[in-house]
Amino acid sequence: MYLLLSILASTLIFIIFTLVGKYKINTLQTIVFNYFTAFSLGVISYSQPIHTQDIIQSKWFYGAIGLGVLFISIFNVMALTAQRNGISVASVASKMSVIIPIIFGLFAYNESLGLQKAIGILLALVAVYLASVKKRTETGFALKGLWLPLLLFFGSGVIDTSIKYIETNFIPDGDIPIFSACIFMMAGLIGVSFISAKAIQKQFTFDKKAILSGFILGIVNYYSIYMLLKALDAENFESSTIFTVNNVAIVMLSTLVGLLFFKEKLSTKNWSGIAIAIISIILVTLA
């Protein structure tokens, strides 16, 4: 159930960003309001009295700071990749990064890798590529342009791996809300610094609509992380299974939403990717 809710919330994030672009709402301001909304939710959801000193002294505090920096940094890398190399390249680079936490889980936590799961994981990578790829309008991009997709690939993988590592080794079950809140607070503060820099350069115009879009995005964003952490905390599933199903299902569901609600056209490759994604999920979850 936690995994299902994480998949739904993550898919909603793509929908919200699509609507933000469609209605020409300021994306950066939406992101900043989103982070502070998510932070507030984390604080509200925390059942214990909040003592700043205790949070700073907790084992996971510096990990939360690092993740906050990664969250907003990799998002900007994703935007640059989409602008310079195309949306398809950005999508494939970010979703194929699922292989990094899977490999880490196999070695760090001695998770099993039978033939069925191995086939499922390989099919998942194929499915993510086929479901994401669009018709190309140009012959390709220069080798010098590969650094952005590679940075996005490794950055996304490091985020997922770090979340699993910190959740496993440092976070008591009751601290998940406040841990998530600290990640979002750090990302929000960095976002404020970006806006401040624009204001100093006289390139800032306040967008009132960003308050509402950021508020809605913040609720969805918080619960996408919270539900993923709860899913990873489940004893019945290994992290390799969780990450595979999570990433593939998000691609599959996002593709279907784009088809049904945003009139996006799917190629034969896209449909093949969706079919393979379903097969891979079945293989991995039943392994």
Side-chain angles (χ1 to χ4, degrees), residues 55-287:
I55 292 175
I56 294 175
Q57 292 177 350
S58 63
K59 294 180 179 180
W60 49 257
F61 179 68
Y62 291 105
I65 292 177
L67 280 170
V69 174
L70 282 171
F71 266 45
I72 196 163
S73 300
I74 296 304
F75 182 85
N76 279 280
V77 171
M78 185 183 296
L80 284 172
T81 305
Q83 292 165 3
R84 298 183 184 182
N85 302 103
I87 294 175
S88 297
V89 176
S91 176
V92 171
S94 61
K95 293 307 176 185
M96 284 184 69
S97 68
V98 68
I99 195 67
I100 296 176
I102 288 174
I103 293 174
F104 182 81
L106 295 175
F107 288 98
Y109 307 118
N110 296 316
E111 295 185 351
S112 61
L113 182 65
L115 178 61
Q116 182 175 321
K117 180 183 283 189
I119 294 173
I121 291 172
L122 291 174
L123 286 178
L125 296 177
V126 174
V128 169
Y129 172 77
L130 291 176
S132 302
V133 70
K134 304 296 181 185
K135 291 182 178 179
R136 301 185 63 177
T137 57
E138 52 188 336
T139 57
F141 50 89
L143 290 176
K144 65 180 181 180
L146 280 174
W147 73 272
L148 274 173
L150 287 174
L151 186 59
L152 176 59
F153 173 85
F154 285 109
S156 300
V158 168
I159 287 176
D160 285 344
T161 303
S162 300
I163 287 175
K164 172 58 182 176
Y165 179 78
I166 296 171
E167 183 274 330
T168 300
N169 295 283
F170 302 112
I171 307 177
D173 187 55
D175 279 6
I176 288 178
I178 198 66
F179 168 72
S180 303
C182 288
I183 294 175
F184 290 123
M185 170 56 83
M186 179 54 60
L189 291 175
I190 296 173
V192 168
S193 69
F194 290 161
I195 290 179
S196 299
K198 286 182 174 292
I200 292 173
Q201 297 171 358
K202 297 182 180 180
Q203 297 177 352
F204 173 76
T205 302
F206 180 67
D207 188 347
K208 294 180 180 179
K209 294 182 290 186
I211 298 177
L212 178 60
S213 60
F215 177 74
I216 297 172
L217 179 61
I219 295 173
V220 175
N221 200 6
Y222 172 78
Y223 282 107
S224 71
I225 298 298
Y226 178 80
M227 294 301 172
L228 178 59
L229 285 167
K230 294 293 286 184
L232 288 169
D233 194 43
E235 297 180 356
N236 298 330
F237 293 96
E238 296 178 339
S239 64
S240 57
T241 300
I242 295 294
F243 282 122
T244 301
V245 176
N246 186 68
N247 281 31
V248 175
I250 289 170
V251 171
M252 182 177 66
L253 185 58
S254 299
T255 303
L256 290 175
V257 168
L259 173 69
L260 296 174
F261 297 100
F262 295 102
K263 308 304 179 183
E264 295 182 358
K265 295 182 179 180
L266 297 184
S267 65
T268 302
K269 287 183 178 179
N270 298 150
W271 283 113
S272 299
I274 293 173
I276 295 174
I278 296 172
I279 295 172
S280 71
I281 289 174
I282 294 173
L283 288 174
V284 172
T285 52
L286 297 182

